[in-house]
Amino acid sequence: MAWKLTPLLLLLAWIAPMCGARARTDLLNVCMDAKHHKTKPGPEDKLHDQCSPWKKNACCSVSTSRELHKDTSLLYNFTWDHCGKMEPACKRHFIQDTCLYECSPNLGPWIQQVNQSWRKERFLNVPLCKDDCQRWWEDCRTSHTCKSNWHKGWDWTSGSNKCPAEATCRPFESYFPTPAALCEELWSHSYKVSTYSRGSGRCIQMWFDPAQGNPNEEVARFYAEAMTAGAAPHGTGPLLLSLALMLQLQLLG
């Protein structure tokens, strides 16, 4: 009897994981497992300045929100002013980007595990609204940098990020010739520029008016539902049920 059941059990073991889609709730209202993130999102009434839109439900603490507004933050000892003073209009976008990274509980569909000393998870290919990216790029064109990927390759001998010896400070446009180059390459594809615009419900907004609610909740829900719906290959549900019935009949026989 056992040899007759073995092929059936192997087939069930192969198909069952494909039919068990990850629970949608695992993708919604969650915080990354990273250096400064809270374990669970919740209210933070006194979030600082540009991070305040997330105060009703945040993955960041008040102290994190204050620290990330500094030119050289102790969070990562990273300075925006590595090629002279960054223009204030440009710096606002980097602060907002950091607020989104540290505070948002709506990035679950794009969280990936990583093996890094300072974090166990990151987000990847978040669909950033194209107009947010365009504005970021336009406001930073006159600021200067020396690298196109800010995740790696810095000189950290001084304790904070400095340009490597072979790098040259140039206007942003030299390293990021298009908005997509900036938003996608800057943080190793944390973002992917969406074809959708703000208010569409299909792209993550870096900026929003909290009085109107957090639009990224709807966006995360849409993509979580799409991922859940697409997790099980079409038609495998009935097949799994049939195999289970066949197994039961074999056991009864």
Side-chain angles (χ1 to χ4, degrees), residues 173-224:
E173 201 168 5
S174 295
Y175 287 97
F176 306 111
T178 65
L182 171 64
C183 298
E184 295 179 1
E185 295 174 19
L186 180 73
W187 301 124
S188 305
H189 299 280
S190 290
Y191 298 115
K192 182 174 179 60
V193 180
S194 175
T195 56
Y196 291 99
S197 300
R198 297 167 52 81
S200 65
R202 298 293 181 267
C203 61
I204 292 292
Q205 293 184 201
M206 192 175 292
W207 306 82
F208 61 90
D209 179 1
Q212 305 298 319
N214 184 342
N216 295 330
E217 292 177 359
E218 177 189 348
V219 178
R221 192 177 303 114
F222 171 81
Y223 284 97

Side-chain angles (χ1 to χ4, degrees), residues 121-137:
E121 291 179 329
R122 63 165 294 188
F123 57 72
L124 187 68
N125 293 325
V126 170
L128 183 65
C129 294
K130 63 179 183 180
D131 30 2
D132 274 1
C133 180
Q134 178 74 30
R135 185 177 166 194
W136 188 356
W137 183 74

Side-chain angles (χ1 to χ4, degrees), residues 20-154:
R22 184 182 179 189
R24 183 165 59 88
T25 52
D26 291 345
L27 303 176
L28 299 175
N29 197 38
V30 293
C31 299
M32 283 188 293
D33 187 353
K35 188 173 183 179
H36 299 291
H37 289 69
K38 294 159 48 177
T39 55
K40 293 182 179 180
E44 294 286 349
D45 293 340
K46 296 182 180 180
L47 287 187
H48 186 61
D49 198 7
Q50 287 182 227
C51 294
S52 61
W54 287 274
K55 66 181 181 180
K56 289 185 178 180
N57 194 34
C59 288
C60 60
S61 66
V62 173
S63 58
T64 295
S65 73
R66 289 188 179 279
E67 189 64 32
L68 68 82
H69 281 75
K70 297 179 180 178
D71 288 345
T72 303
S73 167
L74 293 177
L75 297 178
Y76 305 102
N77 292 321
F78 194 95
T79 177
W80 310 123
D81 301 331
H82 51 268
C83 278
K85 197 73 174 173
M86 181 181 280
E87 294 290 339
C90 178
K91 190 173 295 184
R92 289 183 67 249
H93 292 276
F94 281 93
I95 292 172
Q96 198 71 11
D97 162 52
T98 311
C99 286
L100 179 69
Y101 173 82
E102 299 287 352
C103 302
S104 177
N106 308 123
L107 302 172
W110 304 279
I111 291 176
Q112 302 283 328
Q113 290 187 338
V114 291
N115 183 21
Q116 296 176 328
S117 61
W118 53 286
R119 61 181 181 181
K120 294 181 179 179
E121 291 179 329
R122 63 165 294 188
F123 57 72
L124 187 68
N125 293 325
V126 170
L128 183 65
C129 294
K130 63 179 183 180
D131 30 2
D132 274 1
C133 180
Q134 178 74 30
R135 185 177 166 194
W136 188 356
W137 183 74
E138 289 176 354
D139 286 348
C140 288
R141 290 173 73 174
T142 57
S143 289
H144 290 71
T145 187
C146 58
K147 287 172 49 57
S148 59
N149 186 325
W150 288 15
H151 258 156
K152 57 187 179 180
W154 297 101

